[in-house]
Amino acid sequence: MQFDDDANLDTSEVKDVRGSRVPGGRATVGGGIVGVIALILGLLFGVGPDQLGLSSGGDEPVATSSSAAQVDRTCRKGSDANTREDCRIVAVVNSVQDFWRAEYQRRGGRYGAASTVMFSERVPTACGTASSAVGPFYCPGDRQVYLDLGFFDELRTKFGSTGGPFAQAYVVAHEYGHHVQNLMGTLARAQDGRTGADSNAVRVELQADCYAGVWARHATTTPDDKTGRPLLTRLTDQDVRDGLDAAAAVGDDRIQERFQGRVTPENWTHGSAAQRQQWFRTGYTTGDMARCDTFR
């Protein structure tokens, strides 16, 4: 996975609040048993913590600014994305949104961009205050993707993924798949409270996997708005295998087997390892978002 060294990264699409303090009280979705339950239920690569009824009520605290980690100072060029993990995330966000802007324009629509918030430990959102235990998620209330980079280490150490830069890109692209669903009105279909292999919750997650594959298919041919050249210049077969491996590692069946010792399909919220791979592969091989209808 290689980015154009000379490309200018657009850090305005990423908010870096790592190291910031969230004043007042404890996180509503946090460690201990709540974090373990969230993990077993599969709230990974999903939507905000309010999905589990764990968001706090009332006004949310505002994270104070941190000078410890600000990507706008360190992530300027594609060369930075090729050497730094946080800059790589900036570049992936740029690439994903370049694609969806172009795709919406091609279809006669207008894409509304979404920011990614990099945080550490816990973060206030329109969906409630969340901790890193929730994993990466998209909050439809404020149309932002939330990501603690420490999750990528856990993807390897706790979930058994091979990891790699494109595994990280897959995670980000999946969350932006939720943003596209929100813009299209599809995301609301997951709000019926049902779980299980055939639930709308699972269908929404599998569609987001498919949308991630669609982006991957076009990533190396989508021109950057500023340079006219693709920001992502190389994607290898090994990169795609890393993405597929990450998709399998966070399948509901794999997570349940690993953390509770048995598979209970009636509690699935994201789909099996095989399903997640299948739908990412469908998006990647066809490159057509119309082929991502998981509700048929």
Side-chain angles (χ1 to χ4, degrees), residues 137-158:
F137 66 93
Y138 170 76
C139 175
D142 55 27
R143 294 187 174 186
Q144 294 190 128
V145 171
Y146 290 87
L147 176 65
D148 185 331
L149 298 186
F151 172 77
F152 295 131
D153 291 330
E154 294 185 350
L155 189 59
R156 292 182 295 100
T157 60
K158 289 187 177 180

Side-chain angles (χ1 to χ4, degrees), residues 210 214 217-218 281-289 291-292:
C210 189
V214 171
R217 177 70 176 188
H218 297 285
R281 190 180 288 110
T282 294
Y284 182 72
T285 56
T286 67
D288 183 2
M289 67 180 297
R291 299 291 293 274
C292 295

Side-chain angles (χ1 to χ4, degrees), residues 127-292:
C127 296
T129 301
S131 86
S132 300
V134 178
F137 66 93
Y138 170 76
C139 175
D142 55 27
R143 294 187 174 186
Q144 294 190 128
V145 171
Y146 290 87
L147 176 65
D148 185 331
L149 298 186
F151 172 77
F152 295 131
D153 291 330
E154 294 185 350
L155 189 59
R156 292 182 295 100
T157 60
K158 289 187 177 180
F159 299 98
S161 169
T162 57
F166 190 74
Q168 300 173 1
Y170 155 72
V171 173
V172 174
H174 173 99
E175 295 308 332
Y176 274 91
H178 286 312
H179 177 56
V180 171
Q181 291 172 324
N182 193 32
L183 295 177
M184 297 176 66
T186 312
L187 193 58
R189 299 178 73 168
Q191 310 297 311
D192 59 10
R194 293 179 57 246
T195 62
D198 296 323
S199 66
N200 284 338
V202 167
R203 295 177 190 276
V204 161
E205 296 299 333
L206 296 178
Q207 186 176 63
D209 282 333
C210 189
Y211 286 164
V214 171
W215 160 74
R217 177 70 176 188
H218 297 285
T220 58
T221 58
T222 299
D224 178 73
D225 289 342
K226 303 175 187 63
T227 67
R229 304 187 306 270
L231 178 56
L232 184 61
T233 59
R234 188 176 73 231
L235 192 64
T236 67
D237 291 342
Q238 182 59 53
D239 289 326
V240 175
R241 285 194 291 271
D242 287 343
L244 287 167
D245 186 75
V250 291
D252 282 326
D253 52 343
R254 294 273 188 94
I255 291 175
Q256 289 176 339
E257 182 65 37
R258 180 179 290 262
F259 292 101
Q260 66 183 26
R262 67 188 187 281
V263 176
T264 54
E266 64 272 16
N267 295 327
W268 287 3
T269 58
H270 284 58
S272 69
Q275 287 175 314
R276 300 199 72 165
Q277 286 188 321
Q278 172 197 337
W279 282 103
F280 176 84
R281 190 180 288 110
T282 294
Y284 182 72
T285 56
T286 67
D288 183 2
M289 67 180 297
R291 299 291 293 274
C292 295

Side-chain angles (χ1 to χ4, degrees), residues 10-20 62-75 86-87 89-91 93-94 97 113-120 122-126 139 141-149 172 176:
D10 183 0
T11 57
S12 70
E13 295 187 336
V14 175
K15 301 175 183 178
D16 189 353
V17 298
R18 291 173 293 168
S20 300
V62 177
T64 58
S65 178
S66 168
S67 60
Q70 293 292 334
V71 294
D72 58 349
R73 294 199 304 268
T74 56
C75 303
D86 52 0
C87 299
I89 299 305
V90 174
V93 170
N94 291 170
Q97 298 208 104
S115 297
T116 285
V117 179
M118 291 185 188
F119 73 98
S120 55
R122 63 191 182 116
V123 65
T125 83
C139 175
D142 55 27
R143 294 187 174 186
Q144 294 190 128
V145 171
Y146 290 87
L147 176 65
D148 185 331
L149 298 186
V172 174
Y176 274 91

